[in-house]
Amino acid sequence: MRTEILKYGRIRDLRNDHGLTQKQIAKLLNVSQNTYSQYEIGVSRFPLDAVVKLAEYYNVSVDYLVGLTDETVPYPRKRQAKP
């Protein structure tokens, strides 16, 4: 069992809470499982578009994902302008 504190452990915790594998989330983000694993352990920085996609997928705020808040509820979404 791992006991170290992961830099971005919340993405791992959310993935586990949803019963998903690294391979499934890697596919969602269009990266390899190895790349996603490196995101989880903090070896590689994950790009902003991946952070946004994960926040939308898990319905949490970006701030929550990166550890800036303990509040999981995302901010209200920006309204789309009508064409």
Side-chain angles (χ1 to χ4, degrees):
M1 182 172 176
R2 298 174 85 148
T3 57
E4 74 271 17
I5 296 174
L6 301 177
K7 186 172 184 179
Y8 298 112
R10 286 190 172 160
I11 64 171
R12 184 207 54 208
D13 294 343
L14 284 165
R15 178 182 56 76
N16 287 333
D17 290 348
H18 286 80
L20 300 166
T21 65
Q22 287 184 345
K23 188 173 183 176
Q24 290 170 307
I25 298 301
K27 185 176 179 180
L28 172 78
L29 299 177
N30 297 315
V31 297
S32 71
Q33 181 272 326
N34 185 55
T35 298
Y36 178 76
S37 174
Q38 292 178 355
Y39 294 163
E40 280 194 3
I41 61 176
V43 172
S44 294
R45 294 183 184 195
F46 48 117
L48 184 57
D49 61 328
V51 177
V52 171
K53 190 174 262 189
L54 289 174
E56 290 173 343
Y57 183 79
Y58 292 125
N59 196 35
V60 296
S61 70
V62 170
D63 286 352
Y64 178 77
L65 279 182
V66 298
L68 294 176
T69 183
D70 291 330
E71 194 65 40
T72 59
V73 179
Y75 305 113
R77 300 282 185 225
K78 189 175 181 180
R79 293 184 192 171
Q80 297 292 330
K82 294 182 181 181

